[in-house]
Each structure stands twice: as C-alpha cells, then as structure tokens.
Amino acid sequence: MSINLADCFEALSDTLADREAIVVDGARLTYARLDAEATRLGHFLQSIDVQPRDHLAMHMRNSTEFVTTLLGALKVRAVPVNINFRYTAAELEYLYADSDTTVAFVDTEFCPVVAEVLPRLETLRHVVVIGEVPADFAAACGAAGVTVRSYAEAVDGQSEVRDFPARSGDDHFMIYTGGTTGHPKGVVWRHEDFYYAALAGGNQYGDPHHTIGELVASAENTPAMSLLVTAPLIHGAAVYAVFSMFFMGAKQVIMRNWDAREALALIPREQVQILMVVGDAMAVPFVDELVANPDAYDVSTLFAVNNGGAIWSQASRDKLKTVLPDIFIRDNFGASESGTDGQLEMNDDGELRMPPSPRSQVVNEDLEPITPGSDQIGYLARVGHVPLEYYNDPEKTAATFPTRADGTRMSVLGDMARVEADGAIVLLGRGSGCINTGGEKVFPEEVEQALKSHPAVFDALVAGADDPTYGERVAAVISLRDGVDEPDPDELMAHCRTKLAGYKVPRSIVVVPEVVRSPSGKADYRWAKRAVATG
C-alpha cells in the first residue's frame, strides 16, 4: 500500500477526531478541526489553480496557519517550501527563485523584505499574508503582477468537504537545508521514502507501520501524549517531530518563538510530557533556568527530552540530571538528506555512538562497507529510503546520493565515522571540518564538547588556524555565560587536557560576545575559521 502523508493525517483525523491536535498561543484545534481547516486551505489552493508538484513557500513563524498551510498543500499534492525567516533579502531572493515558488504564505512582519525581492521573482504568482495586508505591500505586489490577499480572505467560505483527487506515495515533499557550506539546497523526497526515513514508519518507539490502517490503530490505542514543540517549523528537525507525533496521536503545544522561561511555564499548564530541543542553543538556557530556580517551576509531568538537529553537550545533560535524575534523554541523529539515522548515545568521554542499524553503514571511498572492528575511518551512509535529488542541482545530487556498483542508492553527507566490533557506529564529525595538525586528525565536535564542559563557557566552535610548523593548529572561539569572569586561556587549555589527547587541545582561544551560527542555528565554521585567524 502506498503511503502518502496527507492520506495518513486524514485517516488519523477521522479516528482521533476529538483529540486535541495542536495548541498555539492559546488557540486549540482538535484533529478533526485541524483537518477541516487544512481542507479549506486546500480548496483555496485549487481555486487559484495550484497543480500537483507546484512549490508553495512558507515564510512564516510557528502558528496554526503554518500547520494548516502545510497540511493543506499536501492535500492538493503541492510541495511546501520552508523559508527561513532569518534570511536577508539576498538569501531570500535566491531561495524563492531556486525553488521556483509560485505561491507564498508570508507573515505580515516579513512583507517588507519580500517586497524588496518581488520584482525579481519570475515564477511567483500569488501571495497570502498571515494577518493584515500592508497597503505598501499590496502596491508592490500589484506592480509585480502578483495577486495578494489575507489568509482569512483566502479560506473564507471554502468547503470542508474532502473531495480531492487521489494521491500517491510518489508525491513530493521537500526540505531546504540550512547548512553553512553554500547556498541552501532543496532535498526532494517521495512521501513514502520520507515516511520511513524521517518519520520511522510512523513509530519512533518500535517497528514501522506498513499500512495506514496499522498506523491509525496504533495511534488510537496509544495513550494521548503531549509534546512541547520549541523550534521553528521551518527547520527539518521540527517538521520531523510534528509529523512523528501526529502519527502517534499526540497533542502538540507549539511555541511561536523560543523562550526558556515560557517553555517551563507551559509544561505544567499543558501537562507536557516530552520536550523537544535543538542542541545547546535551546537546551542550555532551559537547563540553566531550571537548575537556578528549581522551586519556581513544576516539571513533574515531564519524562523525556528529545534532542535533534544539533549536539547537546554532555555538561548540560549532566546538569539537567541534578534536578531531574530520572529524565529520559533521546538524541535523534539525522539530516535533511537522510531522515532520522538513529538514536545517539554519549559516553563519558563525549563520544557519540549509534547502535547497529540496517539503514546505516560506514563506507570507504569506493562506497564499500568498512569491516566492523577495524580502525579504518569512513563515511556514514544512509541506505534504503533516500531522497530523489537536490532540486535543480544534478551535480550535487550525483555527489551526495550516489549509487553503488550493486545498485544500492545511498545518501553520503561527509560525516566521518568508524564501526566497532559489535556493529555500533562511532561518529567523529564532518570530514570537511577535520583539522590536520602535524598529521594528526582532530574533529572539532570533540574539542567543542570539552570546552563546553567548563562552567564558564556557554558556546564554542573549533576550527583550524594556519600554523608554520604543523600546517594547522587547533583553535577555538568561545562565548561565556552571563555574569562569569573571563577564564585565563591556560586554565581552559588545562581543563581540556583532562578530557582530550594533547594534540587536540586548542592552542589559541578567542572570546567573543556571541558565537555566530547560521540562520538555521547550525555551526558556522566559515565564520569560526575567520575568527580564529584574526584572534
């Protein structure tokens, strides 16, 4: 049976009709109501002649409209395009143009920057504004030959009858990456491949469901859970979480903007059981606030924290366990190009390990699997359900999604790893960031873990700096926690020596007010390399 994301949600909404599906800024929608609102949006899209595989930009913060637009687009077989609202005009112009977007849904606050690029967007035909349509933006749209209306106007009077044409597992879903190695790239998935690779076949805690009937029956019999969604839905990790929890029949409390204190206040108010975070950027302020004021917050309903999309340092995890010793921490490792590859475990040395899995391999330069138990370092590869392509980029598609001689398609992103004798995979870091210091290989992530375990360090990035003797030296750029004195560099280096081999210890450390990350929150190693070179 073919698996389509919209078909799955509709079947769930029929069975779980009265369960709460989402809560956003106090607005509550049941599964049935959310499906009805998405259906209205789908009929609007049909009314403006949106066709299957047309691209629909979502230039929005988290909101009920974001979720209904996402689902409504899938209902008519359109392809949602995630637009990072932190991008500059130049970045947005590239993304809108590269994605061949025909319809854009835009929050009112982002209308000015969209107006800047409108005259150069050749494929854009319609804009829907979430909120009031500013008069000057309406004029800009008119001048560009683009129709514009408010979201309320778009869905007003639209039918709630699900009379859409048949869908298929071959329909497309796309996620634009937010990496730091160049322009964002649109990763194109078949729905069915995305369901298995990114959403674990509808079951994050067991075997995949191979039919929609199995999926619905399992969700119906699963006690209703409550997830607090903290990250912007424009990011892959958040979209993975939202679909995964829908497919388990959960309620999702979606924050419009991240704030650690607000998240802590929402936990007792909404009886939140699972919190999602994206690495240290979210986890550290949350943990610090809770540990500093343990009696101010009731977190008794919370039993799990799910992390994905970025590394959550061991020091912060350990700190959380001083107040929540029994908390379950689940680390999802994956990418826009591979889905969810597996669950990470972090040992006392800060090594990240992933249990053996038939969908993950470590391969050599010839794409052949590396022998378990050898010391050979290779590339982590996803096999099985992998994306179709990078949109409009056949060269990068061929490099990232190669086909082995035996016909196996795979996704190879450049993450370096080795395989232990029991088949477990030890992740070392991205090969492109590896530092070669006198012939020794150093992966930045390991050094960053050591630095962030120092009580004064809030964030850290590590990069190679030119060195006349060793070619490169290990160098770091750090930001400090509020209210702490700047530690002596020798103190930081001594701290790292307790956790790292001598050649991995930073030889220079630059302190900055804030460590710069990409608009998607990922490590910006290009900036780090410039910072350590001038520090």
Side-chain angles (χ1 to χ4, degrees), residues 209-439:
H209 303 306
H210 297 298
T211 69
I212 294 177
E214 289 178 18
L215 175 74
V216 172
S218 177
E220 184 179 20
N221 293 312
T222 298
M225 295 183 290
S226 179
L227 170 74
L228 181 57
V229 181
T230 59
L233 296 175
I234 55 170
H235 295 323
V239 169
Y240 291 6
V242 165
F243 274 112
S244 294
M245 297 309 288
F246 276 152
F247 290 174
M248 297 181 72
K251 175 181 85 171
Q252 302 194 60
V253 183
I254 301 174
M255 300 184 70
R256 182 166 176 82
N257 298 294
W258 164 246
D259 179 86
R261 290 187 178 91
E262 183 185 348
L264 283 160
L266 281 168
I267 289 172
R269 190 183 312 156
E270 296 295 340
Q271 298 291 284
V272 170
Q273 297 158 303
I274 305 170
L275 168 74
M276 73 154 293
V277 295
V278 181
D280 280 341
M282 289 184 172
V284 168
F286 177 87
V287 172
D288 286 356
E289 175 64 20
L290 179 58
V291 171
N293 303 286
D295 297 329
Y297 302 104
D298 176 7
V299 292
S300 57
T301 60
L302 191 68
F303 69 77
V305 180
N306 289 355
N307 178 55
I311 293 175
W312 179 9
S313 58
Q314 186 64 44
S316 180
R317 296 161 182 261
D318 292 343
K319 192 172 183 179
L320 177 62
K321 292 210 168 190
T322 63
V323 292
L324 293 175
D326 298 323
I327 196 75
F328 175 68
I329 294 175
R330 181 183 174 92
D331 244 321
N332 298 301
F333 179 78
S336 300
E337 295 92 338
S338 63
T340 300
D341 294 317
Q343 307 307 313
L344 293 180
E345 302 166 353
M346 185 178 290
N347 63 22
D348 292 339
D349 295 325
E351 284 186 330
L352 295 173
R353 300 174 77 256
M354 195 162 61
S357 167
R359 61 182 179 265
S360 295
Q361 298 178 0
V362 179
V363 300
N364 60 21
E365 296 281 353
D366 297 322
L367 305 180
E368 295 300 325
I370 285 175
T371 303
S374 70
D375 292 331
Q376 188 176 359
I377 293 175
Y379 298 96
L380 181 66
R382 169 79 187 220
V383 298
H385 296 279
V386 298
L388 294 172
E389 62 179 353
Y390 283 129
Y391 186 68
N392 278 340
D393 201 331
E395 183 177 339
K396 288 180 179 175
T397 294
T400 303
F401 308 115
T403 300
R404 197 157 54 200
D406 64 2
T408 302
R409 288 194 71 241
M410 53 182 60
S411 174
V412 184
L413 298 178
D415 292 298
M416 309 301 291
R418 67 173 189 271
V419 189
E420 298 191 332
D422 64 355
I425 295 173
V426 177
L427 298 170
L428 301 172
R430 187 58 58 93
S432 59
C434 183
I435 302 164
N436 187 331
T437 178

Side-chain angles (χ1 to χ4, degrees), residues 22-242:
I22 60 171
V23 179
V24 189
D25 283 346
R28 299 175 181 275
L29 276 72
T30 64
Y31 274 81
R33 191 67 244 155
L34 176 56
D35 181 70
E37 293 298 327
T39 296
R40 295 173 70 202
L41 192 280
H43 282 299
F44 162 71
L45 294 175
Q46 287 184 322
S47 76
I48 58 172
D49 198 32
V50 169
Q51 298 296 310
R53 298 191 182 175
D54 277 357
H55 291 176
L56 184 154
M58 301 183 65
H59 194 161
M60 310 156 67
R61 294 187 187 272
N62 292 358
S63 61
T64 55
E65 291 86 358
F66 190 110
V67 182
T68 55
T69 301
L70 175 66
L71 294 172
L74 299 180
K75 282 174 176 282
V76 298
R77 305 177 62 203
V79 184
V81 175
N82 53 313
I83 303 292
N84 193 321
F85 50 74
R86 298 185 180 96
Y87 282 164
T88 64
E91 292 168 319
L92 289 170
E93 181 180 343
Y94 167 82
L95 187 48
Y96 271 95
D98 184 72
S99 63
D100 293 322
T101 285
T102 59
V103 184
F105 284 71
V106 181
D107 278 348
T108 299
E109 65 177 297
F110 305 127
C111 286
V113 70
V114 174
E116 284 187 53
V117 301
L118 267 174
R120 296 180 294 280
L121 301 181
E122 296 180 359
T123 61
L124 188 64
R125 304 194 311 266
H126 306 279
V127 175
V128 178
V129 177
I130 317 304
E132 295 294 325
V133 180
D136 55 350
F137 184 67
C141 287
V146 174
T147 67
V148 62
R149 73 206 78 196
S150 70
Y151 184 95
E153 179 187 356
V155 298
D156 183 44
Q158 297 291 346
S159 170
E160 296 181 5
V161 177
R162 294 195 313 228
D163 53 1
F164 303 109
R167 310 177 189 104
S168 130
D170 291 323
D171 289 347
H172 285 183
F173 190 83
M174 183 159 63
I175 297 178
Y176 263 82
T177 64
T180 60
T181 56
H183 286 304
K185 299 177 287 294
V187 182
V188 181
W189 290 86
R190 293 174 60 251
H191 274 222
E192 187 163 290
D193 288 330
F194 186 78
Y195 171 82
Y196 281 108
L199 311 179
N203 185 11
Q204 294 289 337
Y205 300 98
D207 295 332
H209 303 306
H210 297 298
T211 69
I212 294 177
E214 289 178 18
L215 175 74
V216 172
S218 177
E220 184 179 20
N221 293 312
T222 298
M225 295 183 290
S226 179
L227 170 74
L228 181 57
V229 181
T230 59
L233 296 175
I234 55 170
H235 295 323
V239 169
Y240 291 6
V242 165

Side-chain angles (χ1 to χ4, degrees), residues 470-517:
Y470 297 104
E472 282 187 302
R473 70 177 188 276
V474 181
V477 55
I478 66 171
S479 62
L480 303 177
R481 295 181 183 276
D482 292 338
V484 302
D485 293 330
E486 182 175 326
D488 185 86
D490 290 339
E491 177 191 340
L492 290 170
M493 293 176 192
H495 174 78
C496 288
R497 285 192 185 93
T498 66
K499 299 176 179 297
L500 301 169
Y503 68 88
K504 298 179 182 179
V505 173
R507 296 298 188 265
S508 61
I509 299 173
V510 178
V511 179
V512 296
E514 181 181 12
V515 168
V516 173
R517 293 184 175 270

